[in-house]
Amino acid sequence: MTSAKQLKVTLYRSLNGRLKAHQQCARGLGIRKIHNAITVIDTPENRGMINKISYMLKVEEA
């Protein structure tokens, strides 16, 4: 069984005052605090959420 690619995602801009859909994308990815890095599996669903709020995130391959 091969391990899925993972992405390290860090929120670096505030969610305050953003569109509700963008706040929910961050929530869906499991992001709670600024500068708190999380690791997510690289799936099309997660990529879509990351692309939608890319202006608030830093993304690296884990």
Side-chain angles (χ1 to χ4, degrees):
M1 185 166 127
T2 60
S3 63
K5 278 180 50 177
Q6 295 198 331
L7 300 171
K8 181 178 167 186
V9 182
T10 307
L11 183 69
Y12 75 101
R13 295 188 67 171
S14 175
L15 291 171
N16 291 342
R18 306 292 177 195
L19 293 172
K20 282 284 184 199
H22 292 195
Q23 292 177 11
Q24 290 170 350
C25 281
R27 218 38 201 147
L29 288 168
I31 298 170
R32 290 200 171 93
K33 295 180 179 179
I34 295 179
H35 302 297
N36 192 15
I38 59 147
T39 306
V40 295
I41 298 171
D42 189 8
T43 62
E45 294 83 4
N46 285 341
R47 277 284 181 175
M49 288 190 278
I50 289 168
N51 288 340
K52 193 168 191 175
I53 60 172
S54 61
Y55 65 97
M56 292 190 284
L57 301 176
K58 286 186 182 173
V59 182
E60 306 165 354
E61 287 193 22

